[in-house]
Amino acid sequence: MNSYAKRLMWPVLILVALIVVNIAATGIDFIIPSVNDGRLGGAFVNILRRSAPLMLIALGMTLVIATKGIDLSVGAVYAIGAAIACQMIIGQEDQSAAGLIFSAVALALVVTAVIGAWNGTMVAYFGIQPIVATLILMIAGRGIAQLITGGQIPKVQDSSPFTQLGRGEIFTIPLPIWIAALVFVAIALLTRKTALGLLLESVGGNPEASRLAGIRSKGITVLVYLVCGLCAGLAGLIGAANLGSADANNGGLWIELDAILAVVIGGTALLGGRFYLLGTTIGVVIIGTLEDTIINVGLSSQWQFTAKAIVVFAVALLQSPEFRGWILKPFKPKPEAAAPAPAPAEEVPAK
Amino acid sequence: MTTETLTERPARSTLFDGLTKYIPIGATVALLIVMYLGGIANFKNFDSAQVIAGLFIDYAPLLVIAVGMTFVILSGGIDLSVGSVMAFSTMACAWLTVDAGISAPLAMVLVLAFGTLWGLLIGAVIHYFNVQPFIATLVGLFLFRGLTLQISDTDVSMREVDFWQWGMTHVEFGGKVRDGGFWLPYLSFVAFAVVIVAFVILHYTRFGRGVYAIGGSEQSALLMGLPVARTKIGVYAVSGFCASLAGVLAAFATKSANPLANVGAELDAIAAVVIGGTLLTGGAGFVLGTVAGVMVWGLLNTLIAFHGGLSSWWARIVMGVLLLAFILLQRVLARSGEKRRT
Amino acid sequence: MSDDPIVQMTGIRKDFTGVRALDGVDFTLRPGEIHAVMGENGAGKSTLIKVLTGVHTPDAGDILLDGKSVRFHSPGAAQAAGISTVYQEVNLTDNLSVAENLFAGREPRLGPFINFRAMRRKAKALLDDIGIDLNVAAPLSSYSIAMQQLVAIARAVDIEAKVLILDEPTSSLDRDEVAVLLGVMRRLAANGTAMVFISHFLEQVYEISDRMTVLRNGKLVGEWATADLPENELIGHMLGREAVVLEQIERAAAAHHVADETPLVQAVGLGRKGSIAPYDLDVRRGEVVGLAGLLGSGRTETIRLIAGADRADSGSLSFDGAKVGGHNPRTASARGIAYCPENRKTEGLVGDLTVAENMILAMQASRGWARSIPVARRDKLVAEFIEKLDIRPANPDMPVKNLSGGNQQKVLLARWMLIEPKLLILDEPTRGIDVGAKADIQKLVAELSADGMAVLFVSAELDEVTRLSDRIAVLRDRDLIAVLESEADMTTEKIVDTIVAKGGER
Amino acid sequence: GGGDGGSDGGDDGSLVIGFAQVGAESAWRTANSKSIQDAAEAAGHELKFNDAQQDQEKQIEAVRGFINQQVDVIVLAPVVETGWTDVLQEAEDAGIPVVLADRGVEAADEDLYVTRLGSDFAEEGRKAGAWAAETFAADADGTRILELQGTTGSAPANDRKSGFFEVLDSEGLNYEIVDSQSGNFTAEEGKAVMETFITTHGLDGIDLLYAHNDEMGLGAIQAIEEAGKVPGKDIQIIIVDGSKAGFQAGVDGKVNYIVECNPAFGPQLMDVLESVVAGDEVEKFTPVEEGVFDATQFEAELPNRQF
Ligand SMILES: Nc1ncnc2c1ncn2[C@@H]1O[C@H](COP(=O)(O)OP(=O)(O)OP(=O)(O)O)[C@@H](O)[C@H]1O
Ligand SMILES: Nc1ncnc2c1ncn2[C@@H]1O[C@H](COP(=O)(O)OP(=O)(O)OP(=O)(O)O)[C@@H](O)[C@H]1O
Ligand SMILES: [Mg+2]
Ligand SMILES: [Mg+2]
């Protein structure tokens, strides 16, 4: 637990630093939620709400990465989920029918789960490298989404309850935040209260040893990609509901990179094994806050990428014990006179 | 001393003895040929020699970054910054020669040096600070896209600088295209040269063999006393150099710089390397496989272009399906060749 | 012989998170001597070597090489200064060819380019010289661990260093190869090379070494001339208690199995093309069946088929009276077949997981992911087995990769004992394990079989096989050639004779 | 260029046309592709369509592909303005005429294409600017403007921005750019950026929102509504493009001014191509008919919208 806290320390510090910068730029209102029209608002709450889709995808991605995998197709799956739901709803006269909305959501989730399972099957049963297996759907997926929408951007009537998924609130808290929190809790329970987490880490840490220990590693791999696909689909639904429309080409564009980034900022290694759901959450909030920070401190949009690079670099370096040792060396009392140069990777056992 | 000599034969099937490592690339090349023949059978003018030559014109920059990527992947790493570094390099060429008025050859050298330096830097961060390559280079992806946009948020023309004409100056082989000949610009030869040099370095120098050793097991390479630090940093320097060289080639190819160029090029490069039979886990693969991978990538696009009847979305879907078919076939061929434990 | 020491280490301390691996250790190596470093698993032997050769940086202490203070930052630097090392785990890159592994980093060159022809020629010559015949152009991965170990030794020897360090070089080797190695070491010693030798095989240590340094729990116990330290005293120093009697493992010799009872395991014509010829083998309840053979003879392949790790392509297998279909590790473990593979690093343990997690892995797998083992129950089981097998450090939350080799092996054993299998398959379970632990494991095997568990046991040490087994299957060239049953046949000589005789028949 | 190439045209005058499209990045673009594909089919020509996914390299490759296929005429909708010299030269050497659709190329390459048919983004910006200058001329305390730019670095974003402010400056409007950020031409980011604008600057005292396309504008409208304000009233809104959804918002009173950018120039393009191949003289630039619409015209125009 202690090492867990240590792992989270640096991302949390970065997040706090970002929040402080924002408060300095725009005042304390940034962090304090306000209620208007029975709905929680305010800059920070908005960030959380907008981060919900990324959060969902990053959670799924965390599990995939724990198995030594990666899923590049989530952005395309996001678009497919959004496209299915919107296209189905606009096809009907009464866009407010509960049955219609329910079946649109259900269909979108089933299809995205199947896509996830397909990715998992390619990885587990056909032995294709995850980055390649999911690259296929990354390329084809947006095509599929466009095929569903016929290249148009289907617009759901603002009155349709479907949009509540992205705009509504329960007990004044925006629905996307509820959904993200629920999925977080569900995945946390699923992995930590059952043995799934252990088995996942085992499969990611050493697939062959796991197989010989009798673990259904292929089944677990498929399950994990399925969950990741489902999360991406759900994220697409929230995104589509928020806008009331589905943009097959641009919806969730490059979200896979942000999701991977969030996972890694949160302390999960891309080499598989240990995973940290809470860390991922912090990673997501950092990324969400960062985008607002650029606007709040008044930088032009050309700065978006540069600022992101700087923050990611800072997190990556701060998380590295070697870097901390190197930077702190002048301040540490050294027992020996002859201080050795930073001997790299030395006490890190083989991968 | 002993009287008996200890003998052990490798357990693998004798037919493929020693050839197993060539199976993935063999499968790639075989499928490449099948694809090409399929194109000829179905499309008019597909048999023109210029169709193949065209691959080495349009994909010369991709080939160069894919070669750099091969080094990185062979060592067990990954470099996501290449697309952005490439765009940045093209933009820097334009900026230095058009705005700053520096002589073009000097600008080119500066850009190449900068790309290499960036590779050294990020390699050092990865090695000494043990930062995951994916993240360290993702920083590069964002950083250089940002810097490129900060230099200019519009496209810039370099046509006034004569030096940039050199790359597209071309050589004809076997007469005009109409007469069954084909032509290649100088920049294609630069790409060929990069491939040859990379091949020689990877297979015939200590640095190259060290790359394979580290990809096999970094820990072992360290314990064997190999210069791990130098090699690991070296591969990122190679990749940085290749990315900036690709940027320079792009400058030659279009004589213009566009801040949004090459978005996603890193994925194309990774795909080409992996299709060419290199394992992402490192230690196994060939630079010639990468050439085949780039050709597969290009030929798939060419096939779709020749078909011409696909809408935007069907083109993407067909591309995905072709890629899938390719990878599955490659898998099947490779599996039946290998005799491994289940 | 003992002029000025060539290596002198004083007051070496090395801390890992939570463990003090070395605590004020002194070590002196003189030119031309063979110096054994002795100690239990986890005593700090490998760490001492790694501190000397720049893998780890010591937290305190001095290292003198040829009287000059040194501190290496990488194994490469140590190698350049004349210290050549074979580390404990085989540390070569198996994607490269044998020749490349032998010469990595010092390839013969023509100008800047590697001269592959010269390299292969030199590799061939080098291996010939120490009596190994391999295809030097084949990838190292196509050879067995034992051969890989020999290649690593050949590489280290060829570097022609002042100091040669061998950390458990003989753990996977059988007699002939050990003889080869000891011969090479004598020759080098005669040429003045100083050597550090680490091994858990006491007879080898006594045969070859001039001097011993004994460590216990990271502390120096003392240094003796080998001739002055009888074996039982050495064991006493290593274990910190009076020498235990190791020889006699009481076998409640398979008296209790009834002849006509159906065997637990019945393999008929079981085989797999390219790895093991079809064989028949029975294992009864409460019986220990040993597998003997030279390295590469196919012992591992034989048991992998029974364990479900590989799919057989001929023959049939019955277990517990029922025919086994769709065999894989998961169904095997559900039937009560436990398999401890020989390569614990790549096939056995999940390095990043903790000791406790590794232990419960098989049990958890058999329960499925939905029913996790309650924390209290898990902690109790883990604590119980840590104590029973004397795993040190007794910290269930330590990543298993940080344990010493012997303790890792015990964790693997504990994993399978937890599921209370009917058949326990052990592939080289005592490889790299200290005398005390080895005796513990052997005793454990004897006890388990006495309780009615069937055991399939592979070991490169014929003594161990003969001592433990009720019956012995002998393999040669991936073919099961004989099963020795009678009490009189259970001798090392008989096994060797069987192998040689069958070889002659051809 | 000239009309002497393209020996493959059928006897009946039907053409093989290679069309290198930018991508499918927006509803506008898809409508444009569809219009051209439909028009080619109606005219009995064979259209080879290529989607470059907003990548110039892919587009250059596509043009080379068309040259290799020896099509009769190439239609190019360039992603960026520069960098076309060589490939256009190759087309000319192969005797294949090139017609630009939508966006243009740099002036120095003028000789290498026959004609350009399309919109003028800077002009669109100027149209928007002209309306703004007129509408807010009486605004004494200065006009406070928010801008939602298109994809940073893209031609429409650059031109719509420069055209707009060029007119504001020349008309001497007293204005202040409160903030200007990229919404990448998408509703998603348009909405997100607008939300942040609102939390950072508030909406009080903001007079005008200028969105470089419909999608971003529609996203921003939602953000404004969710913040409890009335778009079109509390803040005036200009959008460019003029899709159905955009006009619908106009009819609902949420948009004040629409600058049209017309994608449906397929039939017009076919006429141009036919005359080019026939060797007729054509103008160097053929503008696509595009209008501007204010609140009084939305209702009447809505049924005419094709995308
Ligand atoms: N990288 C590491 N991190 C943490 N602890 C370590 C590490 N390496 C070794 N240790 C610990 O240091 C102690 C000494 O280990 P070492 O490998 O030197 O033992 P050894 O004497 O070589 O044992 P064996 O005979 O089993 O090889 C052990 O307690 C081990 O758990
Ligand atoms: N993964 C593998 N792929 C291909 N061949 C292998 C593999 N593992 C082992 N072999 C080969 O199979 C043969 C038999 O090896 P095996 O390990 O079964 O022998 P063994 O009798 O168990 O000897 P050892 O003492 O080395 O364990 C060896 O020649 C080895 O090269
Ligand atoms: Mg050891
Ligand atoms: Mg074996």
Side-chain angles (χ1 to χ4, degrees):
Chain A
M1 207 59 223
N2 191 19
S3 74
Y4 192 73
K6 245 192 220 148
R7 219 165 242 282
L8 290 184
M9 181 172 82
W10 294 107
V12 168
L13 280 182
I14 292 276
L15 180 58
V16 170
L18 278 178
I19 291 176
V20 168
V21 168
N22 276 296
I23 292 177
T26 64
I28 193 72
D29 286 352
F30 175 80
I31 192 80
I32 302 205
S34 58
V35 183
N36 35 16
D37 296 345
R39 178 183 195 212
L40 215 53
F44 197 67
V45 174
N46 279 350
I47 289 175
L48 293 182
R49 178 168 56 78
R50 276 203 302 274
S51 302
L54 178 61
M55 171 83 186
L56 292 171
I57 290 181
L59 287 174
M61 189 71 82
T62 309
L63 301 185
V64 168
I65 287 178
T67 66
K68 245 191 186 107
I70 200 151
D71 189 346
L72 294 182
S73 71
V74 285
V77 175
Y78 175 108
I80 293 176
I84 291 176
C86 288
Q87 198 65 26
M88 198 162 151
I89 293 173
I90 62 161
Q92 303 298 319
E93 213 30 62
D94 175 15
Q95 298 191 5
S96 303
L100 170 71
I101 285 157
F102 180 79
S103 49
V105 168
L107 182 68
L109 291 180
V110 167
V111 171
T112 51
V114 168
I115 292 176
W118 159 266
N119 279 333
T121 308
M122 298 275 289
V123 172
Y125 289 93
F126 293 98
I128 295 175
Q129 304 188 54
I131 206 168
V132 184
T134 55
L135 180 72
I136 292 171
L137 266 165
M138 182 187 181
I139 292 170
R142 288 201 180 270
I144 296 172
Q146 284 175 318
L147 186 68
I148 294 168
T149 61
Q152 302 298 314
I153 298 183
K155 294 211 165 50
V156 175
Q157 289 165 3
D158 280 343
S159 57
S160 169
F162 173 69
T163 60
Q164 290 302 305
L165 216 50
R167 303 179 194 163
E169 63 274 313
I170 297 179
F171 303 132
T172 77
I173 296 178
L175 207 51
I177 297 183
W178 278 110
I179 296 175
L182 280 179
V183 170
F184 175 85
V185 170
I187 290 185
L189 287 180
L190 190 70
T191 52
R192 298 304 180 197
K193 286 295 152 193
T194 72
L196 195 60
L198 171 64
L199 299 186
L200 259 171
E201 291 179 336
S202 171
V203 170
N206 187 340
E208 178 62 6
S210 305
R211 184 181 80 94
L212 291 178
I215 296 173
R216 250 184 231 270
S217 45
K218 292 184 178 174
I220 288 186
T221 307
V222 174
L223 178 70
V224 160
Y225 281 87
L226 184 149
V227 170
C228 190
L230 198 62
C231 284
L234 190 55
L237 289 178
I238 294 180
N242 180 34
L243 295 171
S245 66
D247 185 341
N249 202 62
N250 299 306
L253 200 59
W254 299 120
I255 203 168
E256 52 276 350
L257 281 188
D258 278 345
I260 296 168
L261 199 58
V263 173
V264 178
I265 289 178
T268 303
L270 285 163
L271 299 171
R274 293 282 185 212
F275 65 92
Y276 304 91
L277 294 171
L278 208 56
T280 297
T281 310
I282 294 168
V284 168
V285 181
I286 288 179
I287 292 174
T289 311
L290 184 60
E291 277 161 16
D292 271 39
T293 310
I294 294 165
I295 298 178
N296 285 341
V297 300
L299 289 174
S300 68
S301 47
Q302 280 95 323
W303 273 94
Q304 254 177 32
F305 291 108
T306 319
K308 204 166 185 174
I310 292 168
V311 169
V312 174
F313 204 47
V315 182
L317 285 182
L318 284 175
Q319 278 177 338
S320 150
E322 287 82 0
F323 174 78
R324 294 200 303 266
W326 182 69
I327 208 85
L328 292 178
K329 193 175 322 124
F331 308 105
K332 258 191 199 158
K334 257 276 154 188
E336 293 143 84
E346 49 169 14
E347 273 142 40
V348 182
K351 32 176 162 168
Chain B
M1 284 261 35
T2 43
T3 47
E4 205 188 336
T5 304
L6 302 165
T7 310
E8 189 173 304
R9 277 166 289 111
R12 287 176 181 148
S13 143
T14 42
L15 180 64
F16 285 101
D17 195 17
L19 289 179
T20 33
K21 60 178 179 177
Y22 298 111
I23 287 171
I25 176 175
T28 309
V29 172
L31 288 170
L32 193 60
I33 293 170
V34 169
M35 259 165 61
Y36 182 63
L37 295 179
I40 290 180
N42 284 303
F43 303 115
K44 209 170 68 166
N45 294 331
F46 199 86
D47 56 352
S48 153
Q50 190 61 32
V51 170
I52 297 293
L55 293 181
F56 292 103
I57 305 173
D58 298 316
Y59 289 93
L62 178 63
L63 184 56
V64 171
I65 53 174
V67 166
M69 188 71 81
T70 311
F71 277 80
V72 177
I73 292 182
L74 277 176
S75 80
I78 199 152
D79 188 352
L80 296 182
S81 69
V82 291
S84 296
V85 171
M86 183 179 165
F88 175 79
S89 301
T90 316
M91 186 57 83
C93 282
W95 180 50
L96 291 175
T97 55
V98 177
D99 293 347
I102 292 178
S103 92
L106 178 63
M108 183 174 83
V109 171
L110 285 178
V111 164
L112 293 179
F114 183 83
T116 315
L117 267 178
W118 157 254
L120 284 175
L121 174 76
I122 210 66
V125 167
I126 289 169
H127 182 70
Y128 288 111
F129 298 146
N130 222 359
V131 174
Q132 299 185 49
F134 197 98
I135 291 312
T137 57
L138 191 61
V139 167
L141 183 152
F142 292 132
L143 181 68
F144 285 98
R145 187 61 62 190
L147 292 182
T148 311
L149 280 164
Q150 260 150 32
I151 295 179
S152 165
D153 57 6
T154 61
D155 48 327
V156 181
S157 172
M158 296 175 247
R159 59 186 308 142
E160 301 303 330
V161 184
D162 280 344
F163 179 75
W164 300 117
Q165 305 292 338
W166 178 84
M168 285 305 288
T169 313
H170 56 252
V171 186
E172 277 180 7
F173 297 87
K176 294 251 174 259
V177 174
R178 286 168 196 259
D179 312 327
F182 65 95
W183 59 270
L184 282 173
Y186 288 166
L187 64 86
S188 301
F189 296 100
V190 175
F192 292 143
V194 167
V195 170
I196 292 166
V197 170
F199 178 84
V200 170
I201 289 181
L202 272 179
H203 294 280
Y204 293 98
T205 68
R206 285 187 184 170
F207 172 74
R209 300 322 287 170
V211 172
Y212 278 88
I214 289 177
S217 164
E218 186 175 333
Q219 181 78 355
S220 294
L222 187 74
L223 294 183
M224 282 164 91
L226 299 183
V228 172
R230 210 192 316 150
T231 312
K232 243 171 100 185
I233 296 173
V235 294
Y236 289 95
V238 168
S239 180
F241 171 80
C242 285
S244 53
L245 179 61
V248 170
L249 290 187
F252 279 125
T254 58
K255 293 169 273 298
S256 93
N258 162 13
L260 296 180
N262 320 112
V263 173
E266 54 284 336
L267 284 176
D268 292 358
I270 293 170
V273 171
V274 175
I275 290 171
T278 299
L279 290 184
L280 271 177
T281 42
F286 304 93
V287 76
L288 293 182
T290 299
V291 178
V294 169
M295 289 184 72
V296 168
W297 194 250
L299 214 51
L300 284 178
N301 277 307
T302 309
L303 282 173
I304 290 174
F306 263 76
H307 184 278
L310 297 174
S311 62
S312 301
W313 39 99
W314 275 113
R316 284 184 180 209
I317 295 172
V318 169
M319 180 80 183
V321 170
L322 287 177
L323 197 59
L324 171 69
F326 185 89
I327 285 163
L328 284 180
L329 269 172
Q330 190 191 44
R331 230 14 250 169
V332 169
L333 288 179
R335 265 211 182 148
S336 60
E338 263 173 285
K339 290 222 162 153
R340 295 241 65 177
R341 292 171 158 160
T342 42
Chain C
M1 185 172 90
S2 51
D3 348 327
D4 292 336
I6 184 160
V7 173
Q8 185 145 32
M9 304 172 77
T10 39
I12 301 294
R13 178 160 60 78
K14 178 69 197 171
D15 292 326
F16 294 114
T17 27
V19 192
R20 175 153 295 182
L22 293 175
D23 191 0
V25 174
D26 303 335
F27 175 72
T28 308
L29 182 69
R30 299 161 189 84
E33 76 169 348
I34 300 180
H35 194 137
V37 178
M38 305 298 292
E40 288 181 282
N41 293 128
K45 306 180 293 293
S46 301
T47 307
L48 183 70
I49 300 308
K50 289 182 173 171
V51 165
L52 171 59
T53 57
V55 179
H56 296 321
T57 321
D59 295 312
D62 295 311
I63 304 172
L64 300 180
L65 180 68
D66 278 336
K68 283 188 286 294
S69 176
V70 289
R71 172 90 30 114
F72 301 117
H73 297 316
S74 74
Q79 197 171 305
I83 304 180
S84 165
T85 315
V86 177
Y87 294 91
Q88 183 168 10
E89 313 285 337
V90 178
N91 275 297
L92 295 174
T93 54
D94 63 4
N95 56 328
L96 297 184
S97 72
V98 174
E100 284 183 300
N101 270 293
L102 283 169
F103 291 100
R106 51 195 195 93
E107 295 92 344
R109 289 190 290 190
L110 265 178
F113 303 118
I114 297 174
N115 182 346
F116 278 97
R117 194 175 301 173
M119 185 165 88
R120 280 198 292 269
R121 199 180 53 238
K122 283 174 78 175
K124 195 94 199 139
L126 168 60
L127 292 179
D128 275 351
D129 193 35
I130 58 174
I132 314 172
D133 174 27
L134 298 179
N135 173 6
V136 294
L140 188 70
S141 60
S142 50
Y143 291 102
S144 63
I145 296 203
M147 268 307 167
Q148 296 186 14
Q149 200 161 34
L150 282 171
V151 171
I153 293 168
R155 174 187 161 87
V157 167
D158 191 56
I159 288 175
E160 295 192 342
K162 292 183 282 201
V163 178
L164 174 62
I165 300 173
L166 302 165
D167 190 352
E168 303 233 13
T170 55
S171 60
S172 324
L173 305 188
D174 63 22
R175 300 176 164 220
D176 291 343
E177 292 143 353
V178 170
V180 169
L181 175 65
L182 297 188
V184 172
M185 287 175 70
R186 283 199 192 91
R187 208 172 61 199
L188 290 173
N191 291 341
T193 309
M195 274 169 275
V196 179
F197 182 64
I198 299 178
S199 173
H200 290 296
F201 297 102
L202 299 187
E203 68 271 32
Q204 292 170 10
V205 173
Y206 274 95
E207 190 181 337
I208 192 85
S209 71
D210 304 312
R211 199 175 282 276
M212 295 181 181
T213 291
V214 179
L215 301 181
R216 188 168 67 232
N217 280 334
K219 293 201 183 67
L220 179 68
V221 178
E223 193 198 82
W224 289 270
T226 307
D228 300 342
L229 188 65
E231 193 169 312
N232 56 346
E233 264 181 50
L234 167 66
I235 295 174
H237 288 309
M238 282 165 59
L239 305 186
R241 51 190 141 104
E242 282 307 299
V244 277
V245 186
L246 295 171
E247 278 70 41
Q248 281 319 309
I249 302 281
E250 273 310 317
R251 291 288 292 110
H256 53 277
H257 22 85
V258 196
D260 52 68
E261 188 193 350
T262 35
L264 181 69
V265 179
Q266 266 183 305
V268 182
L270 202 63
R272 180 177 161 83
K273 256 209 216 92
S275 68
I276 181 80
Y279 63 88
D280 300 340
L281 186 66
D282 293 348
V283 187
R284 301 189 191 89
R285 288 176 184 78
E287 185 184 43
V288 179
V289 174
L291 276 81
L294 299 180
L295 59 90
S297 57
R299 294 163 298 187
T300 299
E301 272 71 3
T302 306
I303 54 175
R304 278 178 72 92
L305 294 187
I306 296 176
D310 291 339
R311 204 179 293 272
D313 54 15
S314 68
S316 68
L317 177 68
S318 308
F319 188 79
D320 215 359
K323 215 162 154 68
V324 174
H327 205 31
N328 63 37
R330 190 171 47 79
T331 56
S333 118
R335 287 191 173 93
I337 301 176
Y339 169 50
C340 294
E342 77 183 313
N343 192 339
R344 59 182 170 248
K345 195 163 130 193
T346 59
E347 299 180 325
L349 297 167
V350 186
D352 286 331
L353 296 189
T354 63
V355 170
E357 288 170 328
N358 267 289
M359 277 192 187
I360 60 159
L361 211 49
M363 187 180 196
Q364 185 61 64
S366 67
R367 292 164 65 104
W369 61 268
R371 295 192 304 136
S372 95
I373 302 165
V375 179
R377 166 123 185 271
R378 170 188 129 157
D379 289 350
K380 194 171 142 280
L381 281 172
V382 168
E384 186 185 319
F385 275 87
I386 286 181
E387 200 197 309
K388 193 160 168 184
L389 300 181
D390 190 20
I391 293 171
R392 273 179 275 172
N395 174 5
D397 297 325
M398 179 134 162
V400 80
K401 68 182 172 197
N402 290 348
L403 257 55
S404 77
N407 285 303
Q408 292 185 354
Q409 185 65 48
K410 291 180 186 172
V411 172
L412 194 54
L413 268 173
R415 173 193 294 174
W416 289 109
M417 286 170 60
L418 268 167
I419 68 162
E420 298 174 353
K422 294 184 185 132
L423 171 67
L424 180 61
I425 303 178
L426 302 172
D427 197 352
E428 304 276 10
T430 57
R431 176 182 288 170
I433 282 194
D434 69 47
V435 271
K438 191 180 269 183
D440 288 347
I441 287 180
Q442 293 177 358
K443 225 162 63 215
L444 199 70
V445 169
E447 276 169 25
L448 291 172
S449 80
D451 292 346
M453 194 183 290
V455 180
L456 260 172
F457 186 85
V458 176
S459 171
E461 286 173 67
L462 293 183
D463 292 345
E464 194 175 59
V465 177
T466 49
R467 189 173 331 134
L468 277 175
S469 309
D470 297 310
R471 290 188 300 139
I472 298 176
V474 183
L475 288 102
R476 187 195 157 94
D477 289 344
R478 302 193 203 139
D479 194 3
L480 197 157
I481 50 175
V483 179
L484 308 176
E485 310 234 3
S486 71
E487 196 71 32
D489 284 346
M490 300 286 171
T491 63
T492 314
E493 289 71 31
K494 178 71 192 171
I495 297 173
V496 174
D497 286 350
T498 313
I499 297 173
V500 174
K502 286 285 176 164
E505 278 172 17
R506 301 215 163 168
Chain D
D4 57 340
S7 49
D8 301 325
D11 312 323
D12 53 350
S14 79
L15 303 173
V16 181
I17 303 164
F19 176 31
Q21 175 64 296
V22 170
E25 76 280 9
S26 61
W28 188 97
R29 186 65 58 190
T30 335
N32 179 242
S33 301
K34 190 166 181 317
S35 162
I36 293 174
Q37 280 165 323
D38 290 349
E41 195 175 346
H45 302 311
E46 181 184 347
L47 187 82
K48 300 253 179 199
F49 176 79
N50 191 292
D51 173 352
Q53 293 167 27
Q54 290 124 279
D55 182 348
Q56 183 184 23
E57 279 180 26
K58 287 210 177 78
Q59 241 182 344
I60 292 179
E61 185 201 340
V63 174
R64 290 219 169 92
F66 294 142
I67 298 172
N68 285 337
Q69 293 181 60
Q70 296 169 22
V71 297
D72 297 310
V73 57
I74 293 173
V75 179
L76 170 66
V79 184
V80 292
E81 290 184 358
T82 55
W84 297 101
T85 321
D86 288 305
V87 72
L88 292 182
Q89 186 66 52
E90 286 161 31
E92 182 168 288
D93 292 347
I96 303 174
V98 176
V99 171
L100 301 185
D102 180 26
R103 307 179 183 180
V105 300
E106 58 184 327
D109 285 334
E110 222 178 44
D111 297 341
L112 296 173
Y113 65 87
V114 187
T115 178
R116 173 179 163 228
L117 176 73
S119 328
D120 185 338
F121 303 125
E123 182 58 33
E124 290 163 2
R126 283 192 284 270
K127 288 175 184 166
W131 182 80
E134 194 187 311
T135 312
F136 293 102
D139 194 356
D141 58 342
T143 312
R144 306 188 72 221
I145 301 174
L146 287 175
E147 185 186 27
L148 276 172
Q149 302 176 44
T151 306
T152 313
S154 69
N158 291 330
D159 293 354
R160 284 176 189 166
K161 183 185 180 72
S162 61
F164 183 75
F165 290 108
E166 181 191 313
V167 171
L168 295 196
D169 290 335
S170 67
E171 295 289 318
L173 185 73
N174 171 22
Y175 70 95
E176 176 200 353
I177 306 174
V178 177
D179 213 332
S180 171
Q181 288 288 335
S182 167
N184 268 327
F185 284 131
T186 68
E188 199 168 345
E189 291 190 44
K191 182 169 182 182
V193 172
M194 192 66 204
E195 274 173 9
T196 312
F197 280 169
I198 293 170
T199 50
T200 310
H201 308 293
L203 269 179
D204 301 329
I206 304 285
D207 299 300
L208 177 67
L209 171 70
Y210 173 42
H212 286 191
N213 79 345
D214 278 8
E215 293 300 327
M216 291 190 296
L218 295 173
I221 286 171
Q222 284 179 14
I224 295 167
E225 286 177 330
E226 281 167 31
K229 294 284 155 80
V230 185
K233 258 207 162 112
D234 294 339
I235 175 172
Q236 305 245 12
I237 297 174
I238 307 178
I239 59 178
V240 186
D241 266 7
S243 64
K244 253 186 224 145
F247 270 87
Q248 185 59 54
V251 172
D252 297 343
K254 296 172 185 170
V255 168
N256 305 79
Y257 196 63
I258 294 177
V259 178
E260 185 190 33
C261 183
N262 182 9
F265 53 76
Q268 203 181 348
L269 178 67
M270 289 309 135
D271 293 342
V272 171
L273 294 183
E274 280 157 19
S275 20
V276 165
V277 174
D280 303 344
E281 276 299 311
V282 287
E283 293 288 320
K284 206 70 202 178
F285 176 62
T286 319
V288 169
E289 290 128 34
E290 288 175 336
V292 287
F293 303 90
D294 64 19
T296 59
Q297 298 160 302
F298 293 150
E299 187 102 50
E301 183 59 24
L302 181 59
N304 302 336
R305 292 289 103 189
Q306 302 188 352
F307 78 106

